[in-house]
Amino acid sequence: LTPQALGRCGCSDHRGADGRRLDGSGGVAMQLADIDPVAVVSQQGRAVEATKQPAANGLPWLRMLIATLGACALVGIGFGVGRSLPRAADSNGGHDATARPWPLSQPPPSQPRLPSPPPSPASPSPSPPPSPALPSGWWSYGEEWWDSDVDWEAPPTDGMVVTELNTYEKDGYVCSVKAGHLEGWGQACYHSSRSQLSGVVAKRVHTWVGPHVLGKTVETPADIDAVTDTAWRQNYKHTGDVLAQVLAGVDTALWDLVARNLNVSVCTLVAEVMGGECKSHMPVYGSNGNRETDLGLLLANAVHNHDKYGVQAFKFQIAQRMGGDVDITPNRTETLIPLARQLLGPEVTLLADANGGYDTIERAKPIAQLLIDNNFTFFEEPYPFWEYDKAAALGAAMPGMPIALGEQEYRMDVWQRNVHAMDVWQPDVHYIGGGSRSLAVAPVSMEGGG
């Protein structure tokens, strides 16, 4: 029996020196020709035995072929039938993940599986919340909180106990959390042609983070920190940018919820945590255009916004996003930097973002010098964001040009280890996992001089 034939029947032919098959972990599985009776689960949950067929003693290869094909067919039947069995409803009206057919290699249990008992009248199972009335142009992704991976009972309606978690789409996904008569709102994701993760993020709000926030009392920033930390730790198998965006939606909604309950603004709440005060005004910059826009139109738009709206700072995209030292068009960056300063004047704050466009210091260093010559304030992500040592080397070689990093980073330990590479720290609330994790970065930044 050739490996190709085994592959066609869905089997693999892994054997030891003695001719016995080996399983995936290297242990002896069975001898191919000595197949014991196999118990297969039928749709009624009863066991059906199928024994190997006798074969002529003089044709061992034929006996082996028949046994192999029979085993493949029986396993396939058992798998298909097992998948078709209905899932047992658990006591909370969801599904019991343990209600699975018994292993095919073992006999069935002596007693049939009984359905789960109905919920106690004293503690009724939670029912799905009614769909709220949405503004025009909005739609709900779907409230899946009652079918989460963690069993919980409906909490009391009084106090700041989170009872609902919803996601809605409006130019991206936003979250809402409800506790008592209050509702807080936050942002989980925004539409991006580069990530195309909106639907994934919205679903994971319910399946990854929902089980760790529903039923929890959230009254203070410390309560939010606890929920955020638990959700991050319990989702260690999902750690990454998607989890951070999922968590950001819930976290920012919780900050809004707590602030509403205390009758203060989120700004005031953050200032209290940081030991400062909420400012009435903050400087902002205009992120001007994109790399595909004609330079003349791009700069004319910046001048217009400066003259009409009083915008006093602009950030321009230079190089090519993750371009490997190759500009999006030849000499675009070298033309843009001095021309922006010439047209906008000496008093306007100018910033540059390369989005990881350079790979070598030989290419990045002359651009940093050009930025210094034209009085730009910082050079953001000269290299791919994970290249912290390269960024630190560029900063050391060009001390007159501050290096800005951190927008894409979501791991707290990476933040702490790379304080040496950053002159300007840029935790993005959206990418780092919300307000609580952003605030955790601030003390580290200040201790490192950022």
Side-chain angles (χ1 to χ4, degrees), residues 89-446:
D90 64 19
S91 60
N92 288 320
H95 291 100
D96 182 2
T98 64
R100 297 290 185 269
W102 50 87
L104 297 181
S105 60
Q106 299 177 7
S110 57
Q111 296 295 331
R113 183 180 177 88
L114 298 176
S116 300
S120 171
S123 56
S125 59
S127 58
S131 299
L134 301 178
S136 176
W138 292 57
W139 61 278
S140 171
Y141 183 82
E143 300 79 7
E144 303 180 24
W145 59 270
W146 61 88
D147 193 20
S148 64
D149 295 333
V150 175
D151 293 337
W152 71 291
E153 293 186 358
T157 56
D158 57 335
M160 291 299 291
V161 178
V162 179
T163 57
E164 290 187 28
L165 172 59
N166 302 305
T167 50
Y168 307 96
E169 183 185 20
K170 179 66 174 177
D171 299 326
Y173 278 98
V174 294
C175 291
S176 77
V177 290
K178 290 185 178 181
H181 64 284
L182 296 175
E183 185 170 19
W185 292 84
Q187 181 180 354
C189 187
Y190 62 87
H191 285 313
S192 171
S193 59
R194 294 183 180 88
S195 67
Q196 298 180 338
L197 290 173
S198 298
V200 173
V201 169
K203 183 174 182 180
R204 297 311 174 198
V205 164
H206 300 280
T207 58
W208 289 356
V209 179
H212 306 291
V213 64
L214 291 164
K216 299 297 188 296
T217 299
V218 182
E219 297 178 337
T220 68
D223 294 334
I224 303 174
D225 293 346
V227 168
T228 298
D229 184 65
T230 298
W232 188 269
R233 288 173 180 269
Q234 294 302 316
N235 281 284
Y236 71 97
K237 288 290 188 180
H238 306 134
T239 301
D241 178 69
V242 174
L243 174 59
Q245 294 183 50
V246 167
L247 190 58
V250 179
D251 176 277
T252 51
L254 289 174
W255 275 90
D256 186 38
L257 182 72
V258 170
R260 291 173 187 269
N261 185 52
L262 297 175
N263 198 29
V264 298
S265 68
V266 173
C267 178
T268 298
L269 195 59
V270 170
E272 291 176 356
V273 171
M274 299 299 296
E277 61 182 46
C278 182
K279 298 181 179 180
S280 59
H281 295 79
M282 288 290 291
V284 298
Y285 65 81
S287 188
N288 201 265
N290 57 53
R291 292 173 174 85
E292 288 75 25
T293 303
D294 175 78
L295 275 187
L297 180 61
L298 184 77
L299 292 168
N301 184 57
V303 171
H304 168 78
N305 289 331
H306 171 265
D307 294 344
K308 183 173 182 178
Y309 301 108
V311 180
Q312 295 298 313
F314 296 91
K315 185 170 78 172
F316 293 96
Q317 295 179 337
I318 63 173
Q320 179 175 193
R321 186 184 300 271
M322 298 293 174
D325 284 341
V326 179
D327 209 339
I328 191 166
T329 56
N331 297 316
R332 177 185 179 276
T333 296
E334 291 83 351
T335 302
L336 170 60
I337 292 171
L339 191 55
R341 175 56 69 196
Q342 177 185 341
L343 294 175
L344 290 166
E347 303 301 323
V348 173
T349 298
L350 298 182
L351 318 165
D353 186 356
N355 292 115
Y358 301 110
D359 279 356
T360 64
I361 196 168
E362 291 77 15
R363 185 72 179 96
K365 189 174 179 179
I367 299 301
Q369 184 60 58
L370 190 59
L371 293 171
I372 292 173
D373 295 342
N374 288 275
N375 195 27
F376 273 62
T377 299
F378 66 60
F379 189 0
E380 182 178 346
E381 286 188 356
Y383 302 107
F385 76 89
W386 57 87
E387 299 278 11
Y388 292 105
D389 289 342
K390 284 186 177 182
L394 179 62
M398 308 296 293
M401 177 45 54
I403 304 299
L405 298 173
E407 178 188 9
Q408 313 291 334
E409 191 55 68
Y410 55 84
R411 287 177 49 182
M412 304 302 294
D413 60 312
V414 176
W415 276 100
Q416 294 168 347
R417 289 198 305 269
N418 289 284
V419 61
H420 67 283
M422 306 180 187
D423 298 303
V424 179
W425 286 51
Q426 296 179 307
D428 187 303
V429 175
H430 179 70
Y431 290 123
I432 199 173
S436 294
R437 290 170 62 84
S438 295
L439 294 179
V441 166
V444 181
S445 172
M446 290 184 283

Side-chain angles (χ1 to χ4, degrees), residues 8-25:
R8 284 194 294 271
C9 76
C11 303
S12 58
D13 189 21
H14 302 292
R15 305 191 183 203
D18 57 356
R20 291 184 296 174
R21 294 188 64 210
L22 302 178
D23 62 18
S25 62

